[in-house]
Amino acid sequence: MKLGMPILFEYNSIEENINLAKELKLDFIELNLNFGYCRYELEHNKQLKNKLNEASLETTIHFYDEADMASYEEVFEGYFKLLKKYLKYTKGLNTKLLNVHLNEGPVVTISGEKNYIYDKEFDKYIEYLIKNLRKIEKECNKYNIKLVIENITIPPYLEKTYKRLIQKGFNFNYDIGHDHTSGDILKKIMEENEMKFLEFHVHDSTKTKCHLELGLGELDINYYTNIAKDSYVVLEVKSSSDLINSVKKIK
């Protein structure tokens, strides 16, 4: 297992995150493109490579949360353009993985009930999704980076989606807290299908709240760390104090 941390909201530079990761003797940092300071430093900080190397840290990349890889062509191409831009900045940063969300897509609420456009148009949706993910995968391969797909919420049509993506041989990131708040649906899919997880987002969770410090929720963390033994594990808590306490507990 390789243990890492996310970019933290309380900080204003990647260097602050590097310093904490070094102090905690972590293996990598997940650089998150949702953070403006992270994007800026990827483009402008010429010392970033040296600072990461001095701290013996690898990196992974977390793409924009809202990026919908099954959206219509113009939207996808906009995100793909950004993806190509930032992949170029990973040169020399020892980047191993690119993480994208499997989002639920557009929703129409009728009489208080959610209805999913991608469920109604599933055949077209799954065709676009697989085609676009392959395109991303091909771009990542140029930099020896592997694509992983992360679970968020999982409405029923996404259960079918996961099974199709498994059949197509994609790699996954298992966010255990997101899954727990969604009813452990991915856990059930995982137990019935052979999924290839290269990354885990580990944090504690209740049925309604996740990203908790380890030990403050109801998850059996040992269960997940046992199946993550050959993977990259991001301790995806949101503050330095929660991270410090979680690293102590997991080690």
Side-chain angles (χ1 to χ4, degrees), residues 7 11-18 31-33 35-49 51-52 86 89-90 93:
I7 288 291
Y11 292 154
N12 296 303
S13 70
I14 296 176
E15 185 172 3
E16 291 173 277
N17 290 276
I18 291 173
L31 301 173
N32 193 327
L33 295 184
F35 286 78
Y37 77 77
C38 193
R39 296 194 303 272
Y40 180 85
E41 288 193 49
L42 280 170
E43 294 186 53
H44 298 97
N45 188 345
K46 295 181 180 179
Q47 299 303 314
L48 183 58
K49 174 184 173 182
K51 290 174 182 177
L52 287 165
Y86 286 104
Y89 295 125
T90 66
L93 302 185

Side-chain angles (χ1 to χ4, degrees), residues 219-234:
L219 291 180
D220 179 359
I221 299 300
N222 287 335
Y223 168 82
Y224 295 100
T225 54
N226 283 337
I227 61 176
K229 60 186 178 182
D230 298 320
S231 304
Y232 283 77
V233 172
V234 179

Side-chain angles (χ1 to χ4, degrees), residues 66-87:
E66 71 276 13
D68 180 357
M69 300 313 175
S71 190
Y72 50 91
E73 188 174 354
E74 291 86 349
V75 172
F76 170 75
E77 287 299 328
Y79 279 116
F80 188 58
K81 182 178 179 180
L82 286 170
L83 177 70
K84 290 190 291 184
K85 172 183 176 179
Y86 286 104
L87 282 177

